[in-house]
Amino acid sequence: MSGRTGEVYRIDWLPGTDVLYGTCHCGAEHTAEDPVAMWDWMLAHPQGHDLSRNGS
């Protein structure tokens, strides 16, 4: 990795479920059960990021 960008990616586990809740540095939100799918979504910014709805 070549330097800090100040971007914050956050993934929370929803207790009692297999669901991960992710928030991108741009404010977009997404849910997924697969951690790899969650990181793929976050790092594919801005493809798939829709601020008007949760998930994709």
Side-chain angles (χ1 to χ4, degrees):
M1 204 161 175
S2 66
R4 297 179 185 236
T5 63
E7 297 171 348
V8 175
Y9 299 88
R10 181 179 180 112
I11 298 177
D12 294 307
W13 166 63
L14 300 177
T17 71
D18 291 332
V19 177
L20 299 170
Y21 177 78
T23 306
C24 182
H25 64 88
C26 73
E29 300 170 328
H30 182 70
T31 57
E33 291 186 14
D34 179 14
V36 173
M38 177 64 75
W39 279 109
D40 285 345
W41 174 81
M42 285 195 170
L43 298 176
H45 195 275
Q47 292 80 24
H49 286 61
D50 183 354
L51 295 175
S52 65
R53 64 183 174 87
N54 183 14
S56 63

